[in-house]
Amino acid sequence: MLNLNFKQRLGDFKLDINTQINTNGITALFGLSGAGKTSLLNVIAGLSKPDVGQVIFNDKFFVNTENQKFIPAKKRNIGYVFQEPRLFPHLTVIQNLKFGMPRKMRPELDAIIALLDLSATLKRYPFSLSGGEKQRVAIGRALLSAPELLLMDEPLSSLDLPRKRELLPYLTNLARNVKVPIIYVSHSLDEVLRIANHLVLIENGQVTVNDELNTVWESGALRPWLEETQAERQEDSSLLHVQIIEQQPRYGVTALSLGDDLFWVDHINLPLYEKLRVRVFAKDIILSLQNPTGNSLGKGIYGTVVECLQDDGEVYIQIKIGEHKLWSKISEWTQRELGIRAGQWLFIQIKNVVIVE
């Protein structure tokens, strides 16, 4: 657990943080540029000092201004991956990876090289590497320093789109295969959805949301933020953890689990019983008062309406199915015609999903 309770003034900007971050898996620090994400990361790392307050990691005080306690960065056992790779240009990839590596990490060297697919680059120098390869080396070096916590400050921000797409699968593998907790700074929604399982939203130097990623999406807390940034997809969407239950490649369809029910989507070329995180856009949820039959989407799934939110001529309907909650977007006229209200039971059909993990 990372406990943060401090204030810091940086010119005209002020950080005022009072929150706890659960250090299991990957936590995304998410927000607009200039919101204070990197400044917060630097306080955690020990690269800057707060004016007043405390920083505590796993019951160990990094900062306590009451008794003037401040553990310098080099003694915090924290790995830091910056926006730029910052490799040593005169060292080969393998030499960069081993730089600062404690003896206890030698058995992990081959595993990290394999995880980041670096075996073909070990004898090369940084000048000959692509941007994505450089960042993979930087991540590997940070992991091989045996950190108790890994900080990543927008490691994809300096890469072009093809290199970002190249590196994202490796970041996803980190979430699955590395036990070191990771705090990942980003203002990219796609990155957060791909790799994070916990989200901390920062606005104007303060934490406004801190919860599991799925819970944040279910609450609708990010909808105003998305509209403010004019994101590529304005529609509300839901994140669902599903599993591949049945494959029918001959017919081009795959069955996914949702609670105790199944729904069919276009064929997903992944193994049976593979677990996925998918994004479902609100416009792709069809609501019915009776179980629909005789259409291409198959039977409906029974759920109950949690709430109805009015929004400029449209209505967002949140439906609960088992432990899942998801949003549908309809017109005010449709809501009136169907009489949809909180507490009502109805059927849903899912037209499409987007795999994010």
Side-chain angles (χ1 to χ4, degrees):
M1 185 68 70
L2 182 62
N3 292 278
L4 305 170
N5 185 6
F6 67 86
K7 296 180 181 180
Q8 183 187 46
R9 181 169 291 280
L10 301 165
D12 294 331
F13 182 76
K14 183 179 180 181
L15 271 179
D16 189 351
I17 305 294
N18 185 7
T19 195
Q20 290 184 333
I21 296 178
N22 190 334
T23 49
N24 289 326
I26 296 184
T27 296
L29 298 186
F30 185 51
L32 297 170
S33 297
K37 303 183 300 296
T38 297
S39 298
L40 173 55
L41 213 65
N42 287 338
V43 171
I44 296 171
L47 299 180
S48 67
K49 293 183 180 180
D51 301 321
V52 61
Q54 299 174 338
V55 176
I56 309 170
F57 176 59
N58 289 345
D59 299 324
K60 181 179 180 181
F61 279 88
F62 284 164
V63 179
N64 187 357
T65 58
E66 289 185 3
N67 59 13
Q68 302 300 310
K69 184 179 184 63
F70 179 82
I71 296 178
K74 62 182 180 181
K75 294 184 178 181
R76 294 193 184 190
N77 199 20
I78 292 178
Y80 203 134
V81 179
F82 296 89
Q83 294 180 19
E84 298 295 336
R86 302 192 183 187
L87 302 179
F88 296 108
H90 61 291
L91 300 181
T92 63
V93 167
I94 188 64
Q95 290 170 331
N96 267 283
L97 289 172
K98 290 181 176 180
F99 188 88
M101 183 182 74
R103 183 173 300 178
K104 68 178 181 179
M105 291 300 292
R106 289 179 182 175
E108 306 296 327
L109 179 60
D110 289 342
I112 296 298
I113 290 172
L115 177 67
L116 296 170
D117 193 20
L118 292 171
S119 58
T121 69
L122 297 179
K123 295 182 180 180
R124 293 164 58 187
Y125 287 88
F127 75 87
S128 69
L129 302 177
S130 70
E133 288 171 334
K134 290 177 183 178
Q135 280 294 33
R136 280 151 52 195
V137 176
I139 292 168
R141 184 175 63 185
L143 289 172
L144 287 167
S145 68
E148 296 180 25
L149 178 66
L150 180 61
L151 308 179
M152 304 183 75
D153 185 13
E154 302 199 57
L156 306 186
S157 64
S158 63
L159 304 180
D160 54 31
L161 185 58
R163 293 293 179 246
K164 288 182 180 181
R165 290 174 175 168
E166 168 194 318
L167 191 55
L168 268 171
Y170 297 103
L171 296 178
T172 303
N173 283 338
L174 288 183
R176 292 174 174 172
N177 300 305
V178 175
K179 295 182 180 180
V180 178
I182 299 172
I183 297 180
Y184 186 97
V185 166
S186 180
H187 62 266
S188 167
L189 180 62
D190 288 338
E191 290 176 33
V192 169
L193 295 181
R194 183 72 179 268
I195 69 172
N197 46 29
H198 198 98
L199 185 141
V200 177
L201 178 61
I202 301 179
E203 297 183 88
N204 298 318
Q206 295 184 322
V207 172
T208 58
V209 175
N210 182 352
D211 214 326
E212 294 295 322
L213 182 61
N214 281 38
T215 303
V216 176
W217 278 89
E218 289 172 2
S219 72
L222 286 179
R223 181 156 55 93
W225 191 91
L226 289 169
E227 291 172 353
E228 181 180 338
T229 59
Q230 298 180 348
E232 182 180 354
R233 298 297 296 265
Q234 290 291 329
E235 298 91 349
D236 261 352
S237 59
S238 308
L239 292 181
L240 303 176
H241 289 281
V242 299
Q243 188 174 24
I244 295 176
I245 302 299
E246 188 176 343
Q247 294 277 30
Q248 293 287 352
R250 177 182 176 182
Y251 301 105
V253 292
T254 294
L256 302 177
S257 63
L258 182 62
D260 295 327
D261 293 287
L262 300 179
F263 66 98
W264 292 88
V265 296
D266 290 341
H267 181 60
I268 298 173
N269 189 25
L270 290 172
L272 198 63
Y273 306 121
E274 180 87 358
K275 294 182 178 180
L276 308 171
R277 180 186 294 171
V278 298
R279 188 177 180 187
V280 183
F281 289 98
K283 66 180 181 61
D284 290 329
I285 303 294
I286 306 300
L287 305 181
S288 304
L289 298 183
Q290 296 179 343
N291 197 355
T293 58
N295 62 55
S296 61
L297 296 177
K299 295 182 179 180
I301 300 173
Y302 205 37
T304 182
V305 176
V306 178
E307 62 177 325
C308 305
L309 300 178
Q310 304 287 331
D311 184 26
D312 193 23
E314 296 176 322
V315 185
Y316 290 87
I317 310 294
Q318 189 180 52
I319 305 102
K320 184 176 182 181
I321 300 171
E323 296 181 354
H324 298 278
K325 291 181 181 178
L326 61 165
W327 291 96
S328 176
K329 183 174 71 172
I330 61 176
S331 68
E332 288 184 355
W333 182 87
T334 301
Q335 184 198 18
R336 185 186 64 189
E337 288 296 302
L338 296 180
I340 296 176
R341 64 190 184 281
Q344 179 180 3
W345 289 88
L346 44 66
F347 293 90
I348 75 159
Q349 292 175 293
I350 299 175
K351 294 168 54 178
N352 189 37
V353 301
V354 177
I355 298 174
V356 294
E357 180 179 312

